[in-house]
Amino acid sequence: MAHEDRRLQVLRAIVQDYVSTNDPVGSKALAARYDLGVSPATIRNDMAVLEEEGYITQPHTSAGRVPTDKGYRFFVDRLSQVKPLSAAERRAIERFLDGALDLDDVLTRTVRLLAQLTRNVAVIQYPTLSRSAVRHLEVVQLATNRLLLVLITDTGRVEQRVVEIPAVTDAPAGTDPVAELRTLLNAAFVGAKLAEAGVKVADLLDTAPAHLRGLVAAVSATLIETLAEPGEDRLLVGGTANLTRGGALDFPGTLRPLLEALEEQVVVLRLMGEVAPSTVLVSIGEENAHEGFTGASVVSVGYGSAGGTADLALGGLGVVGPTRMDYPGTMAAVRAVARYVGQLLAES
Amino acid sequence: MAHEDRRLQVLRAIVQDYVSTNDPVGSKALAARYDLGVSPATIRNDMAVLEEEGYITQPHTSAGRVPTDKGYRFFVDRLSQVKPLSAAERRAIERFLDGALDLDDVLTRTVRLLAQLTRNVAVIQYPTLSRSAVRHLEVVQLATNRLLLVLITDTGRVEQRVVEIPAVTDAPAGTDPVAELRTLLNAAFVGAKLAEAGVKVADLLDTAPAHLRGLVAAVSATLIETLAEPGEDRLLVGGTANLTRGGALDFPGTLRPLLEALEEQVVVLRLMGEVAPSTVLVSIGEENAHEGFTGASVVSVGYGSAGGTADLALGGLGVVGPTRMDYPGTMAAVRAVARYVGQLLAES
DNA sequence: CGCTGGCACTCGGGGTTCCCGAGTGCCAGC
DNA sequence: GCTGGCACTCGGGAACCCCGAGTGCCAGCG
């Protein structure tokens, strides 16, 4: 229907205009800037309908219209195609991320890059342990009753845990229980997905030499616990200074809860938890469960497919900004960066 | 002299009052709240002198007085004694930090604790590598030409680096160059302060078997580089949400550069670089070199004496807040927390 | 039937004005 | 050297006004 088409165009124009100017947009300005082929009066009629349907709203009786969360949602869902990044942006990504050495470095750079590209807050999650595979396990004795267990995954993530161990009393003379343990653990776990660790642990407990049982049990317990605890998924945040762009306009009085939520990593991690590498997820304003985010939008995507057909990401990354953000641009940036990061991690 | 004494008292009262109320304080209010034994008129005279000497200033002709940076400085320098923490605070510290497992955990908790205690931004530096000793070096082969080098220090810090290595061509049959390298490295470095690594490296290059020379050289280079680069000193920041307390009052328009400076860790690290565990360092407003901090004060101290007589800290921790902050309370909290952290790290 | 130009109406924001009260500096007296 | 008194200053809030952007509605036109 012609009506509907034009109304959609009008909505789109309102969103674009509002995003770029941050001023409520009126019928006249719209007609002038976006030649829609109709007069302001007609646009006014369309706007009245759009308002009635809840896509836009008037901040004050005599101001222009502003998109509602629902309006942004509609806009995002109807994005015909994600606009590709400019060549300059692509180059920036490469320049920024190439030369990163270890995992920390990659993630730190990524978060900075993303914050800079989108001029918003960027977040990135460390590769989930449970979806990584073991590359190496190292055991260092700290004291007679304490070991340091260092886990190195195939994504380059290094985790350490202190393990309290029972005293080893019945070790055969001339053997080094810790060295034995190391060999044993590596033989059992290297190459295995951490999600499968539970099974391997059971095996190990059966097959380990008697005098090592105690050690193995203690270490295994810690290992499993480490994986189970979702809090262990760490998060990197960058570009918080961007929250202050546009003065207090973008986040009217809500800056504080937002900063708190960002530090309270769990909140963000929950958002990231369900993200797949294939589709960019957009969560707008009130759609966000957590109160700190109700004035903000989150654009996120998974990176580094864990491989195969299963569409599980190693971790998520994304951008947090005002509802009034450049969705197409942000979505494109987030996606491009995620791809690049996935690639980098796969290489190492 | 009686005059001077009272003037100091007046200054102190002004600081205290302003810190707690955030309103410029007038002679009348001062006389009412702090019984100084003299009339407002007399206080006015003292205030005039204090203003002339640059300790206080009038934001507007007809408002009360506000301490200047110099005023705060004087106040801090003349603090007779640091007020001890309340029992509740001591308990909070213990409750918060006990049960921390690894280094990351200790530092994360510390930063949260400190932010919460002082209601400001807290920062903590990872234990400086160069002042730590090697506990273990682990070498994992990633590819034929790449190694992952994992360094575990006695403070529990774990650092990883990828090292590009030359192909090993002349290894005697039946030997494992990587295993040999590991043994060699550990024999040479374990227990050594990282600051002394340079010397050890030279030794190692001489004594290593010929076929390992290439490996040793590559690894050593990375090791030394890691230590030399001050940027490798990582930093943890927490409680940024506290910056928004008091609306835009505390940091008039300077919130943004402050957030930027906090993310640009180098700036803060420089501040922390010179900190000793014995004395709490206070840097007020304009005293801070970096522009982002000119509206803020930094209270910092070193933690974990590197031992012996040398008064070198393993790292620094501190608090960043408005110049208008509770200096005695913050200094006490910072010092207490630093002690506790030092203790914790020494134990492990 | 839908678009258009015209028109009366609304109301937020910015500019101006005004006034109050807190706070000061100074002075004469104790 | 402290004190009470007094005239003076000036920032900030309240009240006010006005302009202009923007709207809704209506009658006419293709």
Side-chain angles (χ1 to χ4, degrees):
Chain A
M1 220 183 276
H3 295 196
E4 306 248 328
D5 265 13
R6 198 187 51 217
R7 274 215 290 280
L8 176 55
Q9 276 190 9
V10 169
L11 176 58
R12 200 173 289 174
I14 292 175
V15 170
Q16 282 172 15
D17 211 70
Y18 182 62
V19 164
S20 64
T21 66
N22 198 16
D23 277 326
V25 23
S27 54
K28 212 165 175 177
L30 223 47
R33 248 195 299 268
Y34 289 85
D35 83 314
L36 298 164
V38 291
S39 78
T42 309
I43 294 180
R44 277 206 288 281
N45 290 332
D46 290 339
M47 286 166 91
V49 177
L50 285 171
E51 176 156 23
E52 198 175 344
E53 290 172 344
Y55 293 113
I56 56 179
T57 184
Q58 276 182 300
H60 311 294
T61 316
S62 136
R65 303 305 215 290
V66 162
T68 60
D69 289 353
K70 189 178 170 190
Y72 287 122
R73 163 57 56 201
F74 197 76
F75 174 77
V76 168
D77 287 346
R78 292 296 178 98
L79 274 183
S80 30
Q81 78 285 354
V82 176
K83 85 173 167 201
L85 289 185
S86 72
E89 285 171 315
R90 300 209 156 275
R91 250 178 290 125
I93 296 182
E94 290 190 26
R95 188 157 21 93
F96 222 94
L97 295 186
D98 276 350
L101 287 177
D102 58 17
L103 180 68
D104 279 327
D105 206 16
V106 170
L107 299 187
T108 310
R109 285 175 189 230
T110 302
V111 104
R112 287 199 187 182
L113 168 67
L114 203 52
Q116 189 184 307
L117 276 179
T118 63
R119 309 191 21 109
N120 274 312
V121 178
V123 294
I124 188 167
Q125 176 190 5
Y126 272 69
T128 303
L129 285 181
S130 63
R131 292 181 198 151
S132 306
V134 178
R135 178 180 277 154
H136 186 79
L137 275 167
E138 184 55 32
V139 183
V140 182
Q141 184 139 26
L142 299 183
T144 51
N145 65 335
R146 294 164 84 197
L147 294 184
L148 182 67
L149 186 66
V150 180
L151 164 68
I152 304 171
T153 74
D154 60 347
T155 51
R157 184 163 169 188
V158 178
E159 282 294 311
Q160 29 169 331
R161 287 290 177 288
V162 175
V163 187
E164 308 274 342
I165 52 166
V168 178
T169 51
D170 52 352
T175 63
D176 176 356
V178 171
E180 285 183 78
L181 178 65
R182 181 183 304 133
T183 313
L184 212 58
L185 287 175
N186 278 292
F189 288 114
V190 166
K193 292 275 172 210
L194 281 169
E196 311 157 3
V199 190
K200 303 264 179 184
V201 165
D203 289 358
L204 204 53
L205 277 173
D206 289 343
T207 58
H211 69 282
L212 289 180
R213 292 275 163 83
L215 285 185
V216 170
V219 168
S220 305
T222 300
L223 213 51
I224 290 180
E225 188 182 310
T226 299
L227 299 175
E229 207 168 320
E232 293 307 323
D233 275 340
R234 295 174 55 201
L235 194 69
L236 230 46
V237 179
T240 47
N242 287 325
L243 288 178
T244 62
R245 274 194 315 134
L249 296 172
D250 287 344
F251 303 97
T254 49
L255 223 166
R256 168 140 220 204
L258 194 52
L259 278 171
E260 277 168 357
L262 283 172
E263 278 194 10
E264 197 54 57
Q265 315 207 327
V266 185
V267 179
V268 185
L269 284 173
R270 205 167 300 146
L271 278 172
M272 295 276 155
E274 306 138 13
V275 115
S278 49
T279 47
V280 178
L281 205 68
V282 180
S283 181
I284 300 168
E286 301 282 348
E287 295 173 8
N288 291 301
H290 188 80
E291 64 152 329
F293 284 91
T294 49
S297 284
V298 183
V299 177
S300 55
V301 74
Y303 65 80
S305 165
T309 52
D311 202 16
L312 289 174
L314 281 174
L317 59 79
V319 166
V320 181
T323 41
R324 184 195 137 273
M325 71 155 73
D326 170 18
Y327 290 97
T330 306
M331 289 166 76
V334 164
R335 189 160 72 181
V337 170
R339 283 200 184 141
Y340 211 88
V341 169
Q343 212 171 301
L344 271 185
L345 291 185
E347 276 172 18
S348 67
Chain B
M1 217 182 274
H3 296 196
E4 306 248 331
D5 264 14
R6 199 188 49 218
R7 274 216 289 279
L8 176 55
Q9 275 190 9
V10 169
L11 176 58
R12 200 172 289 172
I14 292 175
V15 171
Q16 283 172 14
D17 210 69
Y18 182 62
V19 163
S20 64
T21 66
N22 199 15
D23 278 325
V25 22
S27 54
K28 212 165 176 177
L30 223 46
R33 247 195 300 265
Y34 289 84
D35 83 314
L36 298 164
V38 291
S39 79
T42 309
I43 295 179
R44 277 206 287 283
N45 289 333
D46 291 339
M47 286 166 90
V49 177
L50 285 172
E51 176 156 24
E52 198 173 345
E53 290 171 345
Y55 294 114
I56 55 180
T57 185
Q58 277 181 299
H60 311 294
T61 316
S62 135
R65 303 305 214 292
V66 163
T68 59
D69 288 354
K70 188 178 171 190
Y72 287 122
R73 163 57 57 201
F74 197 77
F75 174 78
V76 167
D77 287 346
R78 291 297 177 98
L79 273 184
S80 29
Q81 77 284 354
V82 175
K83 88 173 165 200
L85 288 187
S86 72
E89 285 171 316
R90 299 209 157 273
R91 248 178 291 124
I93 296 182
E94 290 190 27
R95 188 155 22 93
F96 223 93
L97 295 186
D98 276 351
L101 286 177
D102 58 16
L103 180 68
D104 279 327
D105 205 15
V106 170
L107 299 187
T108 311
R109 286 177 188 228
T110 301
V111 105
R112 287 199 187 181
L113 169 67
L114 203 52
Q116 188 184 307
L117 276 179
T118 63
R119 308 186 28 106
N120 273 313
V121 178
V123 294
I124 188 165
Q125 177 189 6
Y126 272 69
T128 302
L129 284 181
S130 63
R131 291 179 198 153
S132 306
V134 178
R135 178 178 278 156
H136 186 79
L137 274 167
E138 184 53 33
V139 183
V140 182
Q141 185 138 25
L142 298 185
T144 52
N145 65 336
R146 294 165 85 198
L147 295 183
L148 182 68
L149 187 65
V150 180
L151 165 66
I152 305 172
T153 74
D154 59 348
T155 52
R157 185 164 168 189
V158 178
E159 282 295 311
Q160 31 170 330
R161 286 291 176 287
V162 174
V163 188
E164 307 275 340
I165 52 167
V168 179
T169 50
D170 52 350
T175 63
D176 175 356
V178 171
E180 285 184 77
L181 178 65
R182 181 183 304 134
T183 313
L184 211 59
L185 288 175
N186 278 291
F189 287 116
V190 166
K193 292 275 173 212
L194 281 169
E196 310 157 4
V199 191
K200 304 262 179 184
V201 165
D203 288 359
L204 203 53
L205 277 174
D206 289 344
T207 59
H211 69 282
L212 289 180
R213 290 276 161 84
L215 284 185
V216 170
V219 169
S220 304
T222 301
L223 212 53
I224 290 180
E225 187 183 311
T226 300
L227 298 174
E229 207 169 319
E232 293 308 322
D233 276 341
R234 295 174 55 202
L235 193 70
L236 231 45
V237 179
T240 47
N242 288 325
L243 288 178
T244 62
R245 275 194 314 133
L249 296 171
D250 288 343
F251 304 98
T254 49
L255 222 166
R256 166 140 221 202
L258 195 52
L259 278 171
E260 276 168 358
L262 284 172
E263 278 193 11
E264 197 54 55
Q265 315 206 329
V266 185
V267 178
V268 185
L269 284 173
R270 204 167 298 146
L271 279 172
M272 295 277 156
E274 306 138 15
V275 114
S278 50
T279 47
V280 178
L281 205 69
V282 180
S283 183
I284 299 168
E286 300 283 347
E287 295 173 9
N288 292 300
H290 188 80
E291 65 152 327
F293 284 91
T294 48
S297 284
V298 182
V299 176
S300 55
V301 73
Y303 65 81
S305 166
T309 51
D311 203 15
L312 288 176
L314 281 175
L317 59 80
V319 166
V320 180
T323 40
R324 183 197 139 274
M325 72 156 73
D326 169 19
Y327 290 97
T330 306
M331 288 166 76
V334 164
R335 187 159 73 183
V337 169
R339 282 200 186 143
Y340 211 87
V341 170
Q343 213 170 301
L344 270 185
L345 291 186
E347 277 173 17
S348 66

